[in-house]
Amino acid sequence: MLHGPHDLAALLGIPLARLRWLTFHRGAVTLVHYHRYSIPKKTGGVRAISAPKPSLAKVQRWILQNLLDRLAAGPHAHGFVVGRSIVTNATPHVGKRVVVNLDLKDFFPTVTFPRVKGLFKKLGYSESVAACIALLCTEPPRVPVVLDGKTYRVAVGARVLPQGACTSPAITNLLCTRLDRRIAALAKKLGFTYTRYADDLTLSTQEGHIGTVLKTVRKILADEGFIENPKKTHIMRSGRRQEVTGVTVNDKLTVPRVEARELRAILHNAAKHGLESQNRHKHPAFASYLRGRVAFVTMVDPSKASVLQAALARALAATPAKSRGPWTK
């Protein structure tokens, strides 16, 4: 039984002083527990990443493995759930007349410290323990400010789930349980199928009324404290390509044709001219990158496995061993 922070520290295997250090909150600090950087998004713009430093990362992994992973995600959640994937997320929508995709705006930053603390209180933890766990799993956005030659990291908002912490996806899945249940009930009533992969929501139907379901889903999102990103809402009918989390679902699960053609071309040219001749974007481990792309396509569409794996083997065989990476025999 966890009665207070001292019990939590003992369970984590760290001194109480270190737990206090990891959970201490001030508006302006010279030392933070996260590395911050940005990566480009496929759709344009950048994604802000807050990666925990080793001490905090170790504690977050313990929370994930010993607390969060022991709680089952709802049946409609497919992102970051063992045994589920973009394939299981896309499969229920194959062959539907209409597929609707919605995206939640600022998914992790929408989840604030009080919501995370409330989740752990609901799970049965005491006020102080729930607060400690929530502090370990949240962080405010910060900006650097130089004062008298010293750099401070100043909080510019409330504590939220950081993009980059291993605990953030599991926490959002648990917090979205009621959201998923409400949308799934609505979908069933109106003749739709519903799944969610992280912040991507998908509904599909053979004959349901799209306007009615969208209007009610938007109300549910608002009730549950989430915001739709209207720029990423897509209604795809069977006469055009229908995609769910990057997987084409018109008649069967497959990758978009342009991606499959591009991959085949890269492998063919690599077999003739070597891997580096095709590394136009200067991937530091291009062979591993290609193995990943082949694995992804064959996971989605196993019928392409033998052809792509043979093409990959030819490309690797034509490349000096030192250029193939450590995973090639």
Side-chain angles (χ1 to χ4, degrees), residues 68 77 79-80 107-111 115-116 119 161 167-180 196 198-199 226:
L68 297 171
F80 310 100
F107 188 45
F108 290 153
T110 299
V111 180
R115 295 180 74 176
V116 180
L119 169 67
L161 289 181
T167 46
S168 295
I171 289 172
T172 52
N173 273 341
L174 292 171
L175 284 170
C176 283
T177 299
R178 188 172 66 177
L179 168 76
D180 290 339
R196 180 180 58 82
D199 56 355
F226 293 103

Side-chain angles (χ1 to χ4, degrees), residues 16 105 130 190 196 201 204 207 230 242 259 278:
L16 181 59
K105 186 177 180 181
L190 297 180
R196 180 180 58 82
L201 283 61
S204 62
E207 56 185 15
Q242 297 168 316
E259 291 186 23
Q278 302 303 302

Side-chain angles (χ1 to χ4, degrees), residues 267-268 270-271 275 287 290-291 294 305-319 324 328-329:
L267 295 173
H268 174 76
L275 284 182
L290 286 181
R291 293 187 198 99
V294 169
S306 59
V307 172
L308 286 176
Q309 288 168 359
L312 176 63
R314 289 192 296 271
L316 294 175
T319 302
R324 300 180 204 164
T328 302
K329 295 182 180 179

Side-chain angles (χ1 to χ4, degrees), residues 1-23 59 62-63 67 128-129 132-133 136:
M1 182 66 179
L2 299 178
H3 297 287
H6 57 288
D7 293 320
L8 180 60
L11 200 59
L12 291 170
I14 61 175
L16 181 59
R18 177 163 287 270
L19 177 61
R20 287 174 175 160
W21 177 66
L22 289 172
T23 57
V59 169
W62 189 95
I63 292 171
L67 302 184
S128 59
V129 170
C132 280
I133 298 174
L136 291 168

Side-chain angles (χ1 to χ4, degrees), residues 94-308:
V94 172
K96 297 297 183 66
R97 187 176 64 84
V98 180
V99 176
V100 181
N101 286 336
L102 297 96
D103 181 86
L104 300 181
K105 186 177 180 181
D106 299 328
F107 188 45
F108 290 153
T110 299
V111 180
T112 58
F113 169 80
R115 295 180 74 176
V116 180
K117 177 184 171 184
L119 169 67
F120 285 100
K121 285 185 65 178
K122 188 176 179 180
L123 292 172
Y125 295 95
S126 69
E127 175 82 17
S128 59
V129 170
C132 280
I133 298 174
L135 286 167
L136 291 168
C137 296
T138 59
E139 172 72 358
R142 294 182 182 273
V143 297
V145 174
V146 178
L147 181 63
D148 296 331
K150 198 170 187 178
T151 300
Y152 294 86
R153 305 289 174 176
V154 179
V156 290
R159 295 185 72 95
V160 297
L161 289 181
Q163 177 91 40
C166 66
T167 46
S168 295
I171 289 172
T172 52
N173 273 341
L174 292 171
L175 284 170
C176 283
T177 299
R178 188 172 66 177
L179 168 76
D180 290 339
R181 189 166 57 242
R182 292 180 66 185
I183 296 179
L186 170 72
K188 183 178 181 180
K189 179 180 179 181
L190 297 180
F192 282 76
T193 298
Y194 167 70
T195 63
R196 180 180 58 82
Y197 191 99
D199 56 355
D200 292 321
L201 283 61
T202 303
L203 297 118
S204 62
T205 185
Q206 297 290 16
E207 56 185 15
H209 194 282
I210 302 168
T212 301
V213 78
L214 277 176
K215 180 180 178 181
T216 312
V217 165
R218 285 166 177 151
K219 183 179 184 305
I220 293 172
L221 290 177
D223 288 347
E224 298 295 331
F226 293 103
I227 306 167
E228 175 196 8
N229 185 347
K231 294 181 180 179
K232 294 187 177 181
T233 296
H234 302 289
I235 299 173
M236 298 165 288
R237 302 181 188 278
S238 55
R240 55 170 287 196
R241 187 173 74 232
Q242 297 168 316
E243 282 189 24
V244 177
T245 47
V247 178
T248 301
V249 296
N250 290 69
D251 302 309
K252 66 173 186 174
L253 294 181
T254 187
V255 297
R257 290 176 184 172
V258 65
E259 291 186 23
R261 283 198 299 266
E262 179 190 52
L263 180 57
R264 287 196 300 268
I266 290 173
L267 295 173
H268 174 76
N269 291 329
K272 293 179 65 177
H273 307 294
L275 284 182
E276 284 309 309
S277 69
Q278 302 303 302
N279 190 7
R280 297 183 177 89
H281 299 290
K282 305 301 179 184
H283 288 281
F286 189 55
S288 296
Y289 164 76
L290 286 181
R291 293 187 198 99
R293 286 193 62 175
V294 169
F296 170 73
V297 174
T298 56
M299 175 186 71
V300 172
D301 188 354
S303 68
K304 292 182 169 63
S306 59
V307 172
L308 286 176

